[in-house]
Amino acid sequence: MLNQKHTLALSILMVTFALSACQPKVEKKEQEQKIEQKSSSEVEDTTLTLQGETEKIAVELPECNGNSCPEFSVERLHTNQFVVDSIIDQAILKNLEQILDIAHQSKTVQAEKEKTEQQQEQQEQQASSSVIAANAAKTPVQSMAEQLKPYVKTFTALQQELESLGASSKISVSVSPKILNSKEPLATVVLNTSSYLGGAHGASAQTYFNFDLKHQKQVNLDDLIESGQKAQLEKLAYETFKTWVSINKLANSLEEYEQVWKFKLSNNFYLGKQGLILQYAEYEIGPYVVGLPRLEIPYEQLKTVLKKEYLPAELLVDQPASAALPVAKK
């Protein structure tokens, strides 16, 4: 009987020891699961962040030696946002169209472009399912390289014509996008372009593209403005314009300056650290010597003009409610 009691007590002791030994493992496993869940929840949501880099597009130019060889450089943007890439690609082609339009004064260059367009149209009409499938399999870089061919031909034709006229100038075209701001409230890409196609001087431009990543769309200046506040924004921008003219001593008086260079509100903008930046093109509100004019309107002046989501957080602190006025007794 004593042996049975001893055996029972020993069994109970062993079970208790086993349970106590397993308990820390169970608790440790639960803790590890909680840590893993917490870590996964803290992973940054990249869908609302613009991430990417530029890719240089390979183009074929005629062999050339010497310092006067032409340069045709185009880069595209490859990001985690397809909508952004597509819009910037189309903007690059549009900018090239505008740049090379200068050369269309030449009949030779115009004829070359028309010939290329006719060839493209014939290829599209004769496209078979195999050709369509092959085009679909191309990477964005390869597709962009194909679309650049007409512009490269136009550029090359211009170089050849300038050489035939005895010109020794080095002509060039450069287009390159860059991510300026990657997060909310607006992701911003700037497209830098420059060119020299002969003449007294070259040309350059900076065009800004702003995106609402949450809704996958491009945002224009009007989208930022509170209802009924467009006139106030124009007023603030005009005051900034007057200050800019005065500081840079561009004329003896504003009236004299505006006889040639009238003010206009630019839709080329981005949200800077201190205020709304309005970017202008060459010759848009000033002579070539001023380059690419830029007007900045401080956020402090825009508290009632811009929608709240586009203002810095520090400007949105609730102000104390004003005391109620006493009701006049009759």
Side-chain angles (χ1 to χ4, degrees):
M1 184 68 178
L2 184 60
N3 291 336
Q4 290 179 350
K5 290 183 178 180
H6 179 73
T7 303
L8 179 61
L10 183 60
S11 300
I12 293 173
L13 182 61
M14 291 178 65
V15 170
T16 303
F17 177 76
L19 291 175
S20 62
C22 292
Q23 187 65 24
K25 293 182 180 180
V26 173
E27 291 179 354
K28 184 179 180 181
K29 187 175 182 180
E30 290 178 351
Q31 290 176 354
E32 289 176 348
Q33 289 177 344
K34 290 180 179 179
I35 292 174
E36 289 177 357
Q37 291 174 355
K38 184 178 180 181
S39 298
S40 61
S41 64
E42 290 177 350
V43 174
E44 184 180 1
D45 184 4
T46 58
T47 60
L48 297 181
T49 302
L50 184 60
Q51 300 176 349
E53 56 187 9
T54 56
E55 300 175 314
K56 190 172 181 63
I57 310 298
V59 297
E60 294 183 6
L61 293 174
E63 293 185 5
C64 176
N65 295 315
N67 295 327
S68 62
C69 291
E71 290 185 5
F72 190 95
S73 175
V74 175
E75 294 179 330
R76 70 177 297 273
L77 200 59
H78 175 62
T79 74
N80 60 336
Q81 306 288 340
F82 173 78
V83 171
V84 173
D85 294 0
S86 178
I87 290 175
I88 298 301
D89 280 350
Q90 293 305 309
I92 290 172
L93 297 175
K94 182 178 180 181
N95 276 24
L96 288 173
E97 179 71 32
Q98 293 172 346
I99 291 172
L100 293 172
D101 266 346
I102 300 173
H104 287 182
Q105 299 174 16
S106 162
K107 294 182 179 180
T108 304
V109 175
Q110 179 65 24
E112 178 65 29
K113 188 172 187 299
E114 291 176 355
K115 180 181 177 181
T116 302
E117 290 175 348
Q118 291 174 358
Q119 290 175 345
Q120 281 186 318
E121 185 177 350
Q122 291 175 357
Q123 290 174 357
E124 290 174 359
Q125 293 174 350
Q126 298 172 358
S128 62
S129 57
S130 59
V131 173
I132 294 174
N135 289 335
K138 291 179 181 177
T139 65
V141 173
Q142 292 171 332
S143 178
M144 192 64 167
E146 287 291 327
Q147 295 180 76
L148 287 181
K149 286 183 177 180
Y151 302 99
V152 175
K153 287 184 178 180
T154 302
F155 178 78
T156 301
L158 174 61
Q159 170 68 11
Q160 293 171 347
E161 182 174 357
L162 289 174
E163 288 178 351
S164 68
L165 296 173
S168 59
S169 301
K170 174 181 177 178
I171 65 172
S172 63
V173 168
S174 175
V175 184
S176 178
K178 178 182 178 182
I179 297 175
L180 189 65
N181 184 52
S182 60
K183 297 183 179 180
E184 296 179 316
L186 291 178
T188 303
V189 174
V190 57
L191 187 61
N192 298 295
T193 63
S194 63
S195 63
Y196 176 72
L197 302 177
H201 51 69
S204 60
Q206 288 183 321
T207 310
Y208 295 89
F209 299 84
N210 300 280
F211 300 94
D212 179 343
L213 298 182
K214 184 176 181 180
H215 298 95
Q216 291 287 290
K217 66 176 184 178
Q218 185 177 354
V219 176
N220 295 316
L221 183 59
D222 287 344
D223 299 323
L224 274 63
I225 306 171
E226 289 282 9
S227 177
Q229 292 296 311
K230 182 71 172 287
Q232 178 63 16
L233 176 62
E234 290 181 342
K235 180 181 178 181
L236 291 170
Y238 182 59
E239 291 299 319
T240 306
F241 168 76
K242 291 195 295 184
T243 302
W244 173 75
V245 172
S246 176
I247 290 177
N248 289 281
K249 300 178 181 180
L250 300 177
N252 294 325
S253 67
L254 181 67
E255 292 74 18
E256 178 185 337
Y257 187 80
E258 288 193 297
Q259 289 179 5
V260 181
W261 307 106
K262 299 290 185 181
F263 167 77
K264 60 179 293 188
L265 185 65
S266 175
N267 191 46
N268 187 13
F269 76 96
Y270 71 94
L271 298 177
K273 292 183 179 181
Q274 305 299 326
L276 174 67
I277 309 293
L278 299 177
Q279 179 69 63
Y280 291 84
E282 293 174 336
Y283 300 110
E284 194 168 8
I285 58 170
Y288 181 79
V289 68
V290 301
L292 301 173
R294 179 178 295 177
L295 304 179
E296 181 175 6
I297 308 173
Y299 287 123
E300 185 67 31
Q301 299 178 19
L302 298 168
K303 289 194 290 186
T304 61
V305 176
L306 297 185
K307 295 176 181 178
K308 290 182 178 180
E309 58 263 39
Y310 302 115
L311 289 169
E314 57 268 22
L315 292 181
L316 301 178
V317 178
D318 293 334
Q319 300 295 326
S322 58
L325 297 175
V327 179
K329 295 181 180 180
K330 295 182 179 180

